[in-house]
Amino acid sequence: AKDPVRVLVTGAAGQIGYALVPMIARGIMLGADQPVILHMLDIPPAAEALNGVKMELVDAAFPLLKGVVATTDAVEACTGVNIAVMVGGFPRKEGMERKDVMSKNVSIYKSQAAALEQHAAPNCKVLVVANPANTNALILKEFAPSIPAKNITCLTRLDHNRALGQISERLNVPVSDVKNVIIWGNHSSTQYPDVNHATVKTPSGDKPVRELVKDDAWLNEEFITTVQQRGAAIIKARKLSSALSAASSACDHIRDWVLDTPEGTWVSMGVYSDGSYNVPAGLMYSFPVACKKGEWTIVQGLPIDEFSRKKMDATAEELSEEKSLAYSCLS
Ligand code: NAI
């Protein structure tokens, strides 16, 4: 039997946490033959609720679940973890300035970076979900210099999956037959969902999405804004933000990273830019990536037209501004 993998979920008493921990305990993140030990962190006001989640995990009697650590102590939470899913953060409340929210999250991610750097298992893989996801991940990277930059990522897989979902609905095909959309840039409304390289499986082979949809106006406008604004549409409908889809996409992100993307398929991940596609190096930016043996690489050589270029630059610009804002919170 395999040794258990220790998986940290921060903000585990929250909405996404409540959807995510049972998925992990069921083997959806790491495979149905991979035992896990869950580490759950939240803050003292949520300690009782966190303990309730722990009780439910016990009650569910998950065969793969070999242990649960539920704590409000970041060091205890981070100790020995192989995977860290950072969902905890400070939400934007009515009347709050962007800078104030940024400042709260910068200080959270700075201190959790230190706890991970000092106490996580070697080669720990980190996924930041909490918003502003790209910039929180960047801060985590800056304050955990001994964790390789390639081990620190942020979640844009939900946006990627939303794009697949929209194409699937439009063409009335199973979502599993659609692949290779791309989310470029920030997990925000400036993200650029790109279908120029996406394909659909048909009886006569893979066909480009553009060829099948035959409606460039829809693809260049409504499709893009629907994906960009989907988070807001869910809040409007549910009065709560996306949780099951965020949790499921976080599992997809880690599973593909650890267990490989299928041959010929790429996914979107927020990663530390090396300057690929003329995206400024040093931003946490969402790219198309393929994963093999636990490592992602940016898919290279895709042709970029002028329409795409502008949108890729606009979201990079926003990320540069967020980065400056984050740094101004540090000083
Ligand atoms: P939530 O408010 O229900 O849960 C957040 C939890 O984090 C709370 O239990 C809170 O007590 C905890 N927390 C706050 N500060 C903490 C700290 N310093 N350490 C540990 N835990 C802490 O929020 P929800 O709906 O679960 O969303 C979580 C985050 O994920 C939010 O920032 C949200 O904006 C973001 N999000 C990101 C998505 C993405 O695609 N990247 C999609 C959906 C949400």
Side-chain angles (χ1 to χ4, degrees):
K2 291 181 167 178
D3 288 336
V5 167
R6 290 180 184 270
V7 183
L8 167 66
V9 176
T10 72
Q15 277 211 91
I16 294 176
Y18 192 73
L20 179 58
V21 292
M23 291 182 189
I24 298 171
R26 277 258 173 227
I28 289 168
M29 176 179 276
L30 294 169
D33 62 343
Q34 178 59 64
V36 291
I37 296 173
L38 269 168
H39 288 220
M40 303 194 295
L41 176 69
D42 214 296
I43 48 178
E48 201 181 348
L50 186 67
N51 195 47
V53 177
K54 180 178 175 177
M55 287 159 67
E56 285 204 69
L57 287 169
V58 171
D59 294 349
F62 294 112
L64 288 171
L65 188 60
K66 302 303 176 191
V68 181
V69 176
T71 180
T72 56
D73 178 51
V75 170
E76 187 187 359
C78 292
T79 299
V81 298
N82 309 99
I83 309 267
V85 187
M86 313 300 285
V87 186
F90 196 91
R92 185 166 184 167
K93 293 180 182 153
E94 223 169 302
M96 260 178 103
E97 294 290 336
R98 216 162 90 91
K99 172 140 192 193
D100 299 333
V101 192
M102 182 68 86
S103 179
K104 297 263 189 210
N105 284 296
V106 162
S107 72
I108 292 171
Y109 279 82
K110 188 177 161 185
S111 69
Q112 292 184 354
L116 276 175
E117 173 168 56
Q118 288 165 36
H119 303 284
N123 209 31
C124 175
K125 287 178 159 62
V126 182
L127 166 61
V128 177
V129 176
N131 281 316
N134 301 52
T135 299
N136 287 342
L138 186 67
I139 294 298
L140 197 156
K141 186 223 154 261
E142 303 288 59
F143 289 94
S146 70
I147 300 180
K150 66 176 169 55
N151 287 26
I152 299 170
T153 64
C154 74
L155 188 72
T156 55
R157 182 62 174 270
L158 173 56
D159 309 290
H160 181 101
N161 287 342
R162 285 167 173 165
L164 296 176
Q166 289 302 307
I167 299 297
S168 150
E169 292 227 296
R170 171 81 187 196
L171 291 173
N172 197 21
V173 297
V175 74
S176 54
D177 288 351
V178 188
K179 66 175 187 177
N180 296 353
V181 297
I182 302 167
I183 303 298
W184 298 99
N186 200 1
H187 169 69
S188 78
S189 58
T190 68
Q191 65 174 260
Y192 170 43
D194 177 358
V195 290
N196 288 334
H197 313 280
T199 60
V200 177
K201 195 158 124 196
T202 77
S204 48
D206 288 355
K207 291 259 164 67
V209 162
R210 274 207 188 270
E211 195 179 305
L212 296 171
V213 171
K214 296 190 193 87
D215 183 349
D216 283 342
W218 182 79
L219 285 172
N220 293 344
E221 287 161 36
E222 198 180 326
F223 164 76
I224 293 176
T225 50
T226 300
V227 176
Q228 288 171 334
Q229 306 292 338
R230 188 68 159 183
I234 301 289
I235 292 174
K236 188 157 181 278
R238 246 172 51 85
K239 321 288 176 241
L240 285 169
S241 71
S242 322
L244 86 85
S245 55
S248 180
S249 300
C251 290
D252 289 345
H253 177 115
I254 297 287
R255 193 194 56 240
D256 285 346
W257 191 2
V258 173
L259 300 173
D260 300 356
T261 42
E263 198 60 45
T265 299
W266 65 66
V267 294
S268 303
M269 280 170 66
V271 300
Y272 194 62
S273 171
D274 61 355
S276 291
Y277 293 98
N278 289 316
V279 169
L283 293 180
M284 231 4 121
Y285 190 97
S286 178
F287 286 99
V289 302
C291 305
K292 209 164 200 145
K293 295 198 177 124
E295 307 234 343
W296 53 264
T297 44
I298 296 173
V299 175
Q300 299 293 338
L302 300 171
I304 305 296
D305 65 17
E306 210 179 311
F307 179 88
S308 296
R309 186 74 255 163
K310 282 206 183 107
K311 293 197 156 9
M312 288 162 67
D313 291 345
T315 188
E317 186 58 38
E318 184 186 52
L319 281 169
S320 300
E321 283 164 18
E322 273 188 22
K323 183 176 179 174
S324 310
L325 185 62
Y327 273 86
S328 74
C329 296
L330 288 166
S331 53

